[in-house]
Amino acid sequence: MHNDLQRMLTDIKNEVHFTRSYIGRNALSERVMNAMAEVPRDEFVPDHLKHQAFDNCPLPIGYHQTISQPYIVALMTDLLELKPDHKVLEIGTGCGYQTAVLARLCAEVYTIERIAELSHMAIDHFIKLQYRNIVTQIGNGYQGWPEHAPYDGIVVTASASHIPEPLIEQLKPGGNLVIPVGLPQMHQELLLLKKDLHEELTVDSILPVAFVPLIDDKIRHPAHHTLQ
Ligand code: SAH
């Protein structure tokens, strides 16, 4: 393994250790850390930022969006508790980095991105790296993807003002939903919602975070909605 990737993994482990009182554990699962070691983050960042690709920080990917911080990607993935036969829904594909990490850990990944150019960029990365278990959609992920529901896990990689109801409905009993909640520039919390086998919901606040906003196009562009 090359040095930059090794450094990234060490930085993630250190940050997990520093935040152990928030996240309730001292280390992430070995499966997740292996997936972080296998996905080449440099393939997902723009050319002019390749030299920072393995830094433990978010980076701009264009269109006012970011590739998430590796520690956050690892933590959110860990909270999903994925098994090899699981089906997962991701809202906010971006450049596809988290999608690729998820794809190494479960059977099928469905991912929705509202910015077409980013979705196309992600698809190019998936083809180059030969991922065959990822299905993409361009659209508003607030509504989820009912055709393939229910999902064993759902991860939202943009911050909403509340947990979208359609996503809770599309979560399988026994499944986990991970989502940052809070308004842009304001306090945001990473939440873990669990739906138990009796469909009872529990929500835990994990730690303060900073994400780009989840944009619910239906509300912001009503004219567009009537055309659908
Ligand atoms: N998962 C990415 C993070 C991308 S940033 C990673 O691995 O780095 C969050 C993404 O969510 C942005 O690309 C943004 O365009 C997208 N997004 C925001 N609101 C959305 C919505 N309602 N539906 C789908 N995608 C959305």
Side-chain angles (χ1 to χ4, degrees), residues 61 65-68 73 90-99 112-115 118 139-142 157-158 212-217:
I61 54 171
Q65 306 304 328
T66 54
I67 177 172
S68 300
V73 171
E90 178 192 34
I91 310 302
T93 318
C95 62
Y97 176 62
Q98 167 117 46
T99 325
I112 307 177
E113 169 57 53
R114 59 179 285 278
I115 299 176
L118 287 177
N140 178 6
Y142 187 94
T157 65
V212 297
L214 182 77
I215 297 177
D216 188 0
D217 293 309

Side-chain angles (χ1 to χ4, degrees), residues 80 82 86-92 98-99 102 106 108-112 135 137 141-146 148-157 166-168 170-171 176-178:
L80 289 172
L82 295 178
H86 277 178
K87 175 163 70 169
V88 172
L89 175 66
E90 178 192 34
I91 310 302
Q98 167 117 46
T99 325
L102 297 170
C106 65
E108 295 164 74
V109 184
Y110 294 85
T111 183
I112 307 177
V135 187
Q137 188 198 124
Y142 187 94
Q143 303 300 333
W145 196 338
H148 302 286
Y151 302 95
D152 299 285
I154 301 179
V155 58
V156 183
T157 65
L167 300 184
I168 300 177
Q170 291 169 34
L171 188 66
N176 291 355
L177 166 66
V178 179

Side-chain angles (χ1 to χ4, degrees), residues 22-142:
Y22 284 103
I23 65 178
R25 67 197 82 181
N26 201 13
L28 303 183
S29 86
E30 210 175 303
R31 274 193 92 220
V32 169
M33 290 308 288
N34 288 342
M36 296 300 294
E38 286 162 359
V39 177
R41 192 169 187 253
D42 53 332
E43 295 284 352
F44 293 84
V45 306
D47 281 344
H48 68 284
L49 295 173
K50 294 271 187 225
H51 62 288
Q52 290 182 60
F54 295 98
D55 290 358
N56 186 25
C57 61
L59 294 169
I61 54 171
Y63 310 94
H64 304 291
Q65 306 304 328
T66 54
I67 177 172
S68 300
Q69 182 192 4
Y71 157 77
I72 287 289
V73 171
L75 174 63
M76 290 174 87
T77 305
D78 194 77
L79 291 169
L80 289 172
E81 298 178 83
L82 295 178
K83 300 209 169 72
D85 64 337
H86 277 178
K87 175 163 70 169
V88 172
L89 175 66
E90 178 192 34
I91 310 302
T93 318
C95 62
Y97 176 62
Q98 167 117 46
T99 325
V101 173
L102 297 170
R104 299 207 70 94
L105 293 166
C106 65
E108 295 164 74
V109 184
Y110 294 85
T111 183
I112 307 177
E113 169 57 53
R114 59 179 285 278
I115 299 176
E117 290 85 350
L118 287 177
S119 184
H120 293 145
M121 188 194 289
I123 291 170
D124 288 344
H125 297 147
F126 303 149
I127 291 172
K128 185 170 176 205
L129 296 169
Q130 301 190 329
Y131 286 99
R132 297 185 209 287
N133 57 344
I134 298 171
V135 187
T136 63
Q137 188 198 124
I138 298 165
N140 178 6
Y142 187 94

